[in-house]
Every structure is written in structure tokens, then in C-alpha cells.
Amino acid sequence: MTFQGTQNWERGWNLTEEEREVYRKRSKASSKARRDALKGQGPKPIHPVNIPRLDTDILMPQLPNNGLRTLSLFSGGGGLDLGFERAGFKHVASYDILEAAGVTLQKNRPEWRIFAGKDGDVTKIDWTLYRGEIDIVHGGPPCQPFSLAGRQQGKEDPRDMFPTFVRAVLEIEPLAFIAENVPALVTKKFDQYLQEVIETPLSSKYFIRKFQLYAPCFGIPQVRKRVFFVGFKKANLAVKYQEPTLTHYYNHLEEKTIVLESLIQHNLQPCMGAREALGLPDIGIDGLAPTIRSGFTGPRHTTSVLSSVSAQKAWRKLGIWPNGVALTRERASIFVVENEDFRLSVPDCVLLQGFPESWSIQGAVYVALGQIGNAVPPPMAYRVAKSILNTFS
């Protein structure tokens, strides 16, 4: 998530004045085109307002209350929170330093206890106050210290919050914990960090499992991998634990591949491509959306979800414009892209991340995209939550 105000959280790049001028000109041109479109003075719309075909509610059927109580850290836009709620867990509280995240969570779940802004600063909390009140602690400490898209400074990065997550678990002593992050965290570069900061401190009281999950395997039409750490206080539960069961296959969306009969025989469903999920016309090609980039990363606040040059090629192939995401689908429709690709809106990005249409991400466009890009896809969180529940059953 993102610190604001006096916190040294958002870390821009060192740009030359020439590079800054390029961004300024591009921003001014985009702002003018947007104003003209809103006044009806821009090019005539060529894409009707899309009606999505993917219903992510179907990917995570609501389960009855199971009585297990959860505490959410680094809650952000609520991916883990929503996934665990849908799996029947009882929400106790959510913490996030970003005020906009608190607004998003409170907007969608007015009955939840939300601590955001200064009140959500997890480094200042005495977690022993929750001992005996929490069964499951879950959270996604900020990924920027480890992500390939960042500087990968690990514990030298002031945004490294894994020590705080570990402290919370050890002070609360829940029955189980779940932490998630980017796959880069479990690469050789961070072997020592993993041992010293996460595994050694927690293994004194918990039996730990770690594994990676891929979003399309759960019906989410986006290239996104996450690594999960699951810890149990009791050895018999750790032995019993089984990783989430995959629900979808996606190789039919890749070129020159054949859908294996075994996938269908195992009752796996085909994952929709991005175009089908968004309700766009069939152009004879579809595929997974590239990883949606968080609006909190990079040299400046941006309304682009573009993560790389290769991602740009993938978006272009899909006929989807990833830059200058519009606030609503209606605005996206009237703000025509020069190459006539379909312009994404915030609700479209919400959908591609696996959130249901009913989940409203609050804030300006870049703030909303920041929450979306940092979130765990709720259907993925739901399957992790179910795997935890099955262990306790």
C-alpha cells in the first residue's frame, strides 16, 4: 500500500529535465483531449459502452459463517478481505496506512471496523490487544521492496513491512496466518532475507508452507502470479493442509496450444480472455490481460496500467488501450484513442483484477488503479481461504 504525507513511501525515479518535459507535454495533450471529449468536441465515439460477460461473483460463491475470526493487515482495496468474507470467515478489523483504502473498504462494507491513515499505521499498534480475539491473520505486506518493477532493496527499503507482519503474528498468536507477495520474494536474491526476516522468526511457533498461484487458474483473465506463505500453529493442521484446488484452465487462450482432455475431465472450466470478460466484440483473437500495473509505482502518478514494453504489445494485440484509463465506462467510450483501440475504465480494471462489479474502488483514477494493481484477486484469495477452512474442518 502507499504511505502519504510525511511518510517516505512513494519513491519516484530520478528524471532529467528533458524527460520531465516529455511527460508534461504528454499530460497536457491528454488533458486537452479529455476536456474536448467531455464537451462533445472530440472524435465521434466508435466503441459503445461495454457490458461485461464475466461475473466474478460466480467464481466465489458465498459460504455460510464458519466462526473463524480474521484480522486484515495492509488491506488496500480489499482483495484478501473480500475473498475471506465470501468463504464465510468473520471480519474483525482491517488496517491500511492509505486513507483512500479506508474509504474504499468503508464504502463497500459500512459495518466493518476499518483503521486507515494514521490509525492504520501498523508499525504503531500493540498487537497483543488482539490475542485470543483472532483466529486468522492475513495480509500482503508491500511488494515494492522485492518487485522486479522496483529497486529490489529488500530490508534496506523503508517500505519493507514484513517485520511488522511477523511481529503482529507473534504477538497475536492466531491459529494460522496467510501472507502474500510477489514471486520475486522467493528468488535466490532474497534467500537470506527470507530466512532471517520471515521463516526463522515464525518457525519458532508456526509450521510454514509456501506456494505460488496463477490468477487464470481461478478464472481471472489476467497474467498475475503471487506467492503465499501459510502458517499453522499446530503440526497436525500443517500436515493436513492442501494447497488451493485449481478451478480453470487457460491454455486455449495461448497460440498453438491444444486443450488437454485431462483438463476438462478434471472439471476445470475455461478461463475467459480479457475481451470476452469485458464484453467486447469478437475480433478473432483473445487472450489474458497483461499484469495491471499499480498507479502508485513509477516516476509520477499515472492513469496507465501499462507494466512493460512486452505488455504494450500484448494490449495492442488485444485491441485494448492501457494508457489513460477513464474513471467510468461512459467516459472511456467518448474519449476516443487515436489508434481506435478500446479504452479501459476503472470498472474494467476492477473486473480484470477479479473484483465483482458491485465492489467500488474509491479515489481519483490513479488512486483507484493503485489499489487495484496492488490487490490480491478476490477469487484467488477465496480459494486460499477455502483451503484454510478445509484444514480446520
Side-chain angles (χ1 to χ4, degrees), residues 69 127-135 171-175 233:
R69 303 159 296 178
W127 298 110
T128 58
L129 298 175
Y130 282 105
R131 187 175 295 173
E133 304 296 323
I134 301 296
D135 300 304
E171 289 183 2
I172 297 172
E173 297 186 8
L175 298 176
K233 203 170 182 183

Side-chain angles (χ1 to χ4, degrees), residues 114-149:
I114 310 296
F115 298 91
K118 291 182 179 180
D119 292 338
D121 186 348
V122 294
T123 65
K124 302 292 196 299
I125 307 299
D126 175 7
W127 298 110
T128 58
L129 298 175
Y130 282 105
R131 187 175 295 173
E133 304 296 323
I134 301 296
D135 300 304
I136 313 290
V137 171
H138 62 68
C143 64
Q144 290 91 341
F146 317 104
S147 175
L148 293 174

Side-chain angles (χ1 to χ4, degrees), residues 109-352:
R109 293 293 184 270
E111 71 279 13
W112 281 4
R113 291 178 63 206
I114 310 296
F115 298 91
K118 291 182 179 180
D119 292 338
D121 186 348
V122 294
T123 65
K124 302 292 196 299
I125 307 299
D126 175 7
W127 298 110
T128 58
L129 298 175
Y130 282 105
R131 187 175 295 173
E133 304 296 323
I134 301 296
D135 300 304
I136 313 290
V137 171
H138 62 68
C143 64
Q144 290 91 341
F146 317 104
S147 175
L148 293 174
R151 296 185 176 94
Q152 291 196 302
Q153 292 181 318
K155 64 181 178 181
E156 301 304 321
D157 192 318
R159 298 169 294 183
D160 177 24
M161 291 290 120
F162 252 108
T164 297
F165 182 86
V166 170
R167 178 176 68 84
V169 171
L170 294 178
E171 289 183 2
I172 297 172
E173 297 186 8
L175 298 176
F177 71 82
I178 300 92
E180 65 80 30
N181 217 274
V182 291
L185 176 57
V186 293
T187 58
K188 187 174 181 180
K189 180 179 178 64
F190 294 110
D191 275 350
Q192 185 175 353
Y193 176 94
L194 203 62
Q195 285 292 327
E196 293 180 356
V197 178
I198 302 175
E199 294 183 339
T200 298
L202 288 172
S203 62
S204 63
K205 292 186 178 181
Y206 289 88
F207 299 88
I208 306 171
R209 297 274 298 275
K210 60 177 180 283
F211 51 87
Q212 293 188 45
L213 298 179
Y214 191 39
C217 293
F218 302 95
I220 305 151
Q222 182 194 157
V223 175
R224 181 172 290 267
K225 295 179 180 179
R226 304 301 285 184
V227 63
F228 287 84
F229 299 83
V230 174
F232 292 94
K233 203 170 182 183
K234 297 180 179 180
N236 64 318
L237 292 177
V239 171
K240 183 181 177 183
Y241 180 74
Q242 294 185 358
E243 295 175 16
T245 302
L246 308 186
T247 59
H248 290 71
Y249 64 85
Y250 59 89
N251 68 335
H252 63 294
L253 297 170
E254 300 175 340
E255 291 185 9
K256 299 179 181 179
T257 59
I258 300 174
V259 178
L260 300 178
E261 189 66 27
S262 61
L263 296 177
I264 300 175
Q265 290 174 350
H266 282 84
N267 294 321
L268 296 183
Q269 300 296 314
C271 178
M272 286 187 183
R275 289 190 64 88
E276 181 183 2
L278 293 173
L280 303 184
D282 184 356
I283 59 173
I285 186 172
D286 205 348
L288 300 174
T291 302
I292 292 178
R293 172 180 178 272
S294 169
F296 295 142
T297 59
R300 63 194 177 98
H301 296 324
T302 176
T303 58
S304 169
V305 294
L306 187 62
S307 58
S308 66
V309 174
S310 60
Q312 185 173 31
K313 293 178 181 178
W315 284 115
R316 183 67 189 91
K317 193 172 183 180
L318 290 170
I320 297 175
W321 180 253
N323 297 302
V325 174
L327 183 62
T328 67
R329 292 192 172 105
E330 290 73 20
R331 288 194 178 188
S333 177
I334 63 174
F335 190 6
V336 180
V337 178
E338 287 186 8
N339 65 4
E340 299 189 348
D341 280 351
F342 170 82
R343 182 184 291 277
L344 287 170
S345 66
V346 169
D348 292 330
C349 295
V350 166
L351 181 73
L352 292 176

